[in-house]
Amino acid sequence: MAAKLHNKYGSRDCTEMACESPSMARMHIYANHVLVEVVDEQGRAVQPGTAGRLLVTLPEQLLLPDDPLRDR
């Protein structure tokens, strides 16, 4: 069998969030399925290329008025 392997990234809570894109040589985020942000210790977005914590929000969470993640 000549199938090509590729990496996928996910979790139990969010299922698949990203997969390897051979044409881009990096991970492709499933933007229609999750909102992925890199934030600092205070929960503020960091500049591209800066290390931080990965914050993943599902579209359903954006609809919740009292979601604590929205008030970070």
Side-chain angles (χ1 to χ4, degrees):
M1 222 177 209
K4 290 187 176 185
L5 297 177
H6 62 275
N7 290 320
K8 284 192 174 188
Y9 181 79
S11 72
R12 288 184 183 177
D13 298 332
C14 301
T15 67
E16 296 175 359
M17 291 182 249
C19 73
E20 185 177 25
S21 174
S23 64
M24 299 172 145
R26 57 184 167 185
M27 298 296 278
H28 173 76
I29 296 173
Y30 299 141
N32 61 334
H33 180 65
V34 293
L35 172 63
V36 178
E37 301 170 86
V38 180
V39 298
D40 62 16
E41 292 298 320
Q42 289 75 40
R44 296 179 301 226
V46 299
Q47 295 294 318
T50 305
R53 298 179 332 167
L54 193 63
L55 177 63
V56 178
T57 306
L58 299 175
E60 302 83 45
Q61 290 174 314
L62 296 174
L63 300 175
L64 300 174
D66 297 326
D67 186 352
L69 293 176
R70 294 187 68 182
D71 299 325
R72 60 187 189 304

